[in-house]
Amino acid sequence: MSADRRPDAAATNPTAADPAVPGAASADPPAAATTEPSLPNSIPTVSADLNTTTAGTLPTEPLHLPAARGRAGTCPKCQAPVGAKDRYCEECGQEIGARRVALPRPVDEAGGQAGPSQCESCGGSDHDSDGYCRGCGQLRSQPDRFEADLGAVYLATDRGLSHSRNEDSVAAAVIDGPGGMPGTTVIVVSDGVSSSEDPQAASGAAVRAGVDGCLSALADGDSLEEAVYAGLIAATKAVRAIAKPNGHAPSCTYVSAIVRGYGTGRFEIAHANIGDSRAYWLRTESSASVCPPSQRLTKDDSYAQTLVDFGTDDETAMQHPRAHHLMRWLGADSGAEPAADSCVGTFTTTGPGVLLLCSDGLWNYRPGAGDLAAIATVAERMPAARELVEFALRSGGRDNITVALAPIT
């Protein structure tokens, strides 16, 4: 992401330098790196249903994660006994009841295929877990693109054409239901803030902790809104934890979603966001008579959105030179309350259509939901994810590009 984090007083108070924005609002100074996130205990949400503004609620009975692919109460890998709520087998470490992936893959995964064995700068071969050469500090290079197919969700992240590295991250987990059908899908996308130190470390920590937090809350029987919020809290803490006392504060955006309702004909989606990575509902042409229209589900925490809130139209707001400056983000310097009151929402729909989560490397070129639907709903899901990335590259590829598509059928 090329956005800055609250770069000056005008970014947090548009009236300080922009007469187009009426009123005044002062911003709190950034918090110290040791400040714990002070997110509200209650979850203010914005809900959307098929034809009204009040979402229907699917059953929220406790979700247990047994070893669904092995014998009941046993690890599917080593057959050791596991409890109904165990996340991992104590004998072999196998995750129980969920399939997951995080991209870009760490440099030590996939048999070392995530980067060259030798440092391009000094020729050394010793890299730390974050991919930095222990000899000269050069960051290990990665492939331009990573992809993953979990069946219920399709992921792709690309370096783009202008950046030297990919600072985006994406992670997902699928909890299998009965009969081989997905039970619940969890997705997180994060865009590292390029003006911060080690933004790729922030985004990587955010997506992994976000998925973990959602899964843990679901296993405890929390509602989808509570679970998606728990993931946000976990990501906030994880990103703050990698900061250093000398002001080293990696930062990122965050958007997540949890999908439930497979096999029922009615899907409930809970989503959460901080920053300007987005979630969209995109319907197919064939579902126009039964589904709500394609629409953006999340609200940006950006200077452009602040202008819109004060009455500026979207197109004019996006032309402002500070349009992409963030008002909220995840990081040690994000302030005591990084989340807005509208950071969590729910959306209920039937199919067919797709849920899209993406970084601004995609939506910068095509922000309209209907325009995105024209690409995302006309092909099979992995090819559709690739085509969204290719569209952004053809349009300029000035930023990292990350997409996650979850079919709603």
Side-chain angles (χ1 to χ4, degrees), residues 25 38 61 111 197 244 247 300:
S38 176
E61 65 273 8
E197 307 85 350
K244 299 178 181 178
D300 294 344

Side-chain angles (χ1 to χ4, degrees), residues 47-109:
S47 301
D49 203 353
L50 295 172
N51 297 302
T52 69
T53 57
T54 304
T57 302
L58 297 178
T60 56
E61 65 273 8
L63 174 68
H64 300 294
L65 303 179
R69 293 182 298 280
R71 299 192 302 271
T74 63
C75 171
K77 182 177 181 181
C78 71
Q79 306 304 316
V82 294
K85 292 181 66 176
D86 286 347
R87 290 277 309 283
Y88 297 92
C89 173
E90 293 184 0
E91 295 296 324
C92 68
Q94 171 74 23
E95 186 165 10
I96 306 300
R99 294 174 285 113
R100 73 164 73 195
V101 68
L103 305 176
R105 292 184 177 88
V107 293
D108 57 350
E109 283 189 11

